[in-house]
């Protein structure tokens, strides 16, 4: 037998009288005004209470007859209740519809009629009229607005006035109680009217405040929409100008590179002696033309890269590569530069480095070579060390040098475009100030970052961290 999981047994919801009452006195959906809804709920609550009370009253009053076995009396009680109950239920149903105003008129009419008929037929004391009519005026004050309440007061006073005419034989038709009742109802009604006036004034104030707040909110909303539209226009304009800039730069770079490659090519041909014998001085000058051509080409490539990244047109490949083989390639490329300056160059590879990673090996090489070239450029004594490590889900490329170091204030801006520690025209070290900006942007594009620590005169440490990606989908 399989056990039924505890979750599948629906919890028994407790009967909540408050929720039931609230459902039974819910105003109709089409009544949207808050004050109206409050009034409608008050009326339905009142009618529902009246229905329940009359049911309870009949049940209680029938008890002695049930015990005595006087079924005739019980039947009489039920018959007597049937009509008023039916009427009440009808009015209650009407009050739940959107015609709750009409339900209120009807309720009051029924109440007035019932009271008058009861007092007249039962010969009850006319002071009952006073008590009940006061209650009706109060009910009207709760449910209606000013004019309708005034109407209720007038009806009450009229009925008290015509009572002696309608029932001249009634024991208290000409009593002073009735006259007193007239004045009492009149005075109490004035007080009720004054209270109502006060309540209406408060309601009006609140409405005015609400309308003002709403207006303010609408104005704020309108200006927000306007500034959003302006922002959107500015964004489109900026995007368009960025696109034009990068288009211009890539065209320019292409146009510059073609003649530059021709110059470098012909220099190479002449240096190899294919264009005829050249003397040492000419060779020296050709060498300078060639190396300046190289620098210019590097600059053009950097500008092209940065403009591509900024225009969002730089695309990275996601191919498998062997990180160790890659590091070896860097070693052979950089050791030549280190030897030229008689610097030590060490490479340290973490044994935990995976055999294969996924990513853009060419762009990762660009990052590493850039950092190592800088390290060698800014180091005169000592050496440069490349360490490739694995840490958590990241692999690190750390380039440490014993060079000139970077002052603390410059650590913030060296990653910005065209920023150099020494940007003066008399600076010792060449360069454009674009390398680190490209490195940082590439790192970010790959989901990594770059950090630097440095001490002036002692050296710098640049650390790149990239996510370890062991399959094409980016799995770690
Ligand atoms: P470039 O080297 O072409 O000037 P970079 O963007 O690569 O441009 O570097 C910006 C600046 O950061 C350099 O001009 C230099 O002042 C400083 N810098 C970069 N790497 C080092 C380093 N290893 N040691 C000292 N300074 C450095």
């Amino acid at each position: 037998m399989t056990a039924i999981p505890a979750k599948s047994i629906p919890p028994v919801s407790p009967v909540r009288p408050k929720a039931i009452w609230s459902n039974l006195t819910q105003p109709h959906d089409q009544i949207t005004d808050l004050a109206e809804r409050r009034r409608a709920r008050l009326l339905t609550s009142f009618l529902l209470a009246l229905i329940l009370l009359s049911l309870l009253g009949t049940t209680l009053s029938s008890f002695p007859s049930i015990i005595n076995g006087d079924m005739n009396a019980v039947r009489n009680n039920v018959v007597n209740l049937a009509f008023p109950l039916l009427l009440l239920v009808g009015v209650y149903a009407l009050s739940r519809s959107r015609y709750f105003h009409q339900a209120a008129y009807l309720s009051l009419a029924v109440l007035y009629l019932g009271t008058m008929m009861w007092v007249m037929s039962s010969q009850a004391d006319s002071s009952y009229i006073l008590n009940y009519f006061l209650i009706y005026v109060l009910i009207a004050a709760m449910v209606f607005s000013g004019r309708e309440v005034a109407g209720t007061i007038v009806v009450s006073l009229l009925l008290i006035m015509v009572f002696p005419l309608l029932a001249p034989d009634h024991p208290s038709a000409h009593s002073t109680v009735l006259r007193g009742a007239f004045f009492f109802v009149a005075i109490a009604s004035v007080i009720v009217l004054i209270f109502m006036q006060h309540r209406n004034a408060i309601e009006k104030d609140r409405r005015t405040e609400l309308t003002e707040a709403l207006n303010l909110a609408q104005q704020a909303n309108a200006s927000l929409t306007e500034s959003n539209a302006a922002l959107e226009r500015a964004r489109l304009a900026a995007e368009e100008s960025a696109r034009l800039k990068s288009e211009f730069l890539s065209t320019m770079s292409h146009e510059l590179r073609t003649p530059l490659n021709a110059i470098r090519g012909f220099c190479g041909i002449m240096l190899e002696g294919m264009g005829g014998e050249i003397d040492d001085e000419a060779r020296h000058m050709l060498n300078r033309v060639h190396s300046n051509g190289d620098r210019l080409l590097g600059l053009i490539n950097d500008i092209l890269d940065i403009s591509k990244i900024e225009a969002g047109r730089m695309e990275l490949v996601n191919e498998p590569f062997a990180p160790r083989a890659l590091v070896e390639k860097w070693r052979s490329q950089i050791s030549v530069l280190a030897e030229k300056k008689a610097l030590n160059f060490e490479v340290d590879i973490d044994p935990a480095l995976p055999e294969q990673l996924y990513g853009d090996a060419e762009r990762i090489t660009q990052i590493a070579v850039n950092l190592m070239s800088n390290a060698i450029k800014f180091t005169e004594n000592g050496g440069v060390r490349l360490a490739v490590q694995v840490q958590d889900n990241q692999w690190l490329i750390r380039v440490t040098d014993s060079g000139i170091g970077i002052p603390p204030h410059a650590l913030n801006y060296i990653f910005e475009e065209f920023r150099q520690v020494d940007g003066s025209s008399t600076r010792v070290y060449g360069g454009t100030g674009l390398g680190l900006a490209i490195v940082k942007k590439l790192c970010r594009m790959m989901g990594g970052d770059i950090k630097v620590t440095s001490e002036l005169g002692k050296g710098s440490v640049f650390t790149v961290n990239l996510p370890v990606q062991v399959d094409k989908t980016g799995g770690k």
Side-chain angles (χ1 to χ4, degrees):
M1 202 180 91
T2 46
I4 302 168
K7 255 205 264 169
S8 68
I9 303 168
V12 182
S13 60
V15 180
R16 286 180 304 163
K18 212 172 156 189
I20 295 175
W21 184 267
S22 164
N23 276 341
L24 287 175
T25 56
Q26 179 84 13
H28 194 269
D29 283 350
Q30 282 185 12
I31 306 171
T32 46
D33 186 89
L34 272 183
E36 288 278 278
R37 283 184 77 78
R38 221 171 27 232
R39 287 177 185 154
R41 195 183 273 281
L42 210 65
L43 180 69
T44 32
S45 307
F46 173 73
L47 290 168
L48 197 61
L50 223 56
I51 292 170
L52 293 178
L53 278 177
S54 43
L55 278 174
L56 191 74
T58 310
T59 315
L60 286 178
S61 63
S62 301
F63 250 123
S65 316
I66 294 170
I67 290 167
N68 294 335
D70 184 357
M71 290 321 278
N72 265 349
V74 175
R75 201 174 310 121
N76 272 350
N77 274 353
V78 173
V79 170
N80 283 346
L81 175 71
F83 180 66
L85 191 68
L86 217 67
L87 206 66
L88 272 174
V89 171
V91 180
Y92 162 78
L94 195 63
S95 74
R96 295 284 314 272
S97 72
R98 64 195 169 103
Y99 304 107
F100 92 95
H101 266 264
Q102 283 78 344
Y105 297 139
L106 255 176
S107 328
L108 280 174
V110 169
L111 289 170
Y112 274 113
L113 210 70
T115 314
M116 286 294 277
M117 281 169 64
W118 169 67
V119 173
M120 278 194 241
S121 62
S122 67
Q123 307 285 302
D125 194 277
S126 51
S127 61
Y128 281 110
I129 294 184
L130 164 70
N131 297 342
Y132 284 107
F133 282 13
L134 268 180
I135 293 174
Y136 305 155
V137 171
L138 281 175
I139 293 169
M142 285 194 282
V143 178
F144 288 142
S145 56
R147 212 176 308 147
E148 288 151 325
V149 180
T152 315
I153 292 167
V154 170
V155 169
S156 303
L157 295 176
L158 274 178
L159 283 177
I160 295 173
M161 273 163 68
V162 298
F163 184 76
L165 304 176
L166 291 174
D169 302 331
H170 194 276
S172 55
H174 303 285
S175 75
T176 46
V177 177
L178 204 58
R179 250 169 281 141
F182 182 85
F183 287 110
F184 194 73
V185 171
I187 292 166
S189 302
V190 170
I191 296 172
V192 167
L193 277 178
I194 291 172
F195 268 112
M196 274 196 66
Q197 186 65 25
H198 181 64
R199 186 191 70 184
N200 287 348
I202 291 176
E203 217 164 75
K204 208 171 146 194
D205 282 355
R206 229 185 23 225
R207 266 168 207 268
T208 321
E209 273 171 20
L210 262 175
T211 319
E212 274 169 16
L214 199 73
N215 280 345
L216 277 177
Q218 272 169 352
Q219 275 170 15
N221 201 14
S223 68
L224 201 75
T225 318
E226 209 174 290
S227 40
N228 271 349
L231 254 170
E232 181 60 16
R233 281 196 300 273
R235 191 183 65 80
L236 289 177
E239 260 179 24
E240 178 61 8
S241 74
R243 195 186 60 78
L244 287 175
K245 182 184 118 188
S246 79
E247 216 174 78
F248 168 77
L249 279 172
S250 65
T251 318
M252 276 299 291
S253 310
H254 176 75
E255 294 304 318
L256 286 171
R257 261 190 294 191
T258 315
L260 195 58
N261 280 329
I263 293 169
R264 287 172 69 245
F266 283 117
C267 272
I269 289 173
M270 286 169 80
L271 280 169
E272 279 171 25
M274 287 192 239
E277 278 297 304
I278 49 168
D279 60 25
D280 282 352
E281 198 176 342
R283 178 173 296 278
H284 174 71
M285 283 192 277
L286 276 176
N287 264 328
R288 292 196 61 183
V289 172
H290 198 266
S291 67
N292 276 300
D294 280 351
R295 278 182 59 196
L296 200 54
L297 195 62
L299 172 63
I300 292 168
N301 284 340
D302 279 357
I303 291 179
L304 188 62
D305 277 350
I306 204 110
S307 65
K308 260 194 194 162
I309 294 173
E310 279 180 356
R313 286 190 1 201
M314 166 78 76
E315 278 178 16
L316 297 176
V317 299
N318 190 21
E319 300 289 349
F321 65 90
R324 281 164 205 282
L326 201 66
V327 175
E328 284 311 321
K329 212 173 94 188
W330 301 344
R331 188 206 295 266
S332 58
Q333 195 176 338
I334 297 302
S335 52
V336 181
L337 296 179
E339 272 164 25
K340 268 192 195 163
K341 285 186 81 175
L343 296 173
N344 267 336
F345 180 55
E346 283 174 22
V347 178
D348 179 19
I349 304 177
D350 188 342
L353 189 69
E355 286 304 318
Q356 181 179 284
L357 287 171
Y358 272 79
D360 194 326
E362 198 183 315
R363 293 296 172 190
I364 296 172
T365 300
Q366 188 177 352
I367 293 172
V369 167
N370 206 307
L371 294 179
M372 289 185 284
S373 311
N374 271 353
I376 288 177
K377 179 163 76 175
F378 294 105
T379 305
E380 300 308 331
N381 297 307
V384 172
R385 186 162 178 273
L386 165 70
V388 181
Q389 297 166 344
V390 178
Q391 212 173 70
D392 303 325
N393 288 327
Q394 309 267 317
W395 63 293
L396 313 180
I397 302 169
R398 177 168 291 140
V399 179
T400 312
D401 67 57
S402 56
I404 59 171
I406 303 163
H409 73 272
L411 292 175
N412 291 325
Y413 65 69
I414 51 167
F415 294 101
E416 290 169 19
E417 291 156 34
F418 301 107
R419 296 298 297 268
Q420 296 169 312
V421 175
D422 180 5
S424 67
S425 55
T426 56
R427 66 177 188 267
V428 181
Y429 303 98
T432 57
L434 278 176
L436 286 181
I438 295 173
V439 165
K440 181 152 189 157
K441 285 185 202 297
L442 284 176
C443 287
R444 293 265 169 98
M445 280 177 77
M446 291 176 187
D449 208 351
I450 180 167
K451 288 196 176 65
V452 59
T453 54
S454 185
E455 207 175 322
L456 257 188
K458 292 215 167 141
S460 315
V461 183
F462 284 84
T463 310
V464 165
N465 64 293
L466 297 172
V468 170
Q469 199 184 321
V470 291
D471 60 37
K472 209 169 175 78
T473 55
K476 305 272 154 68

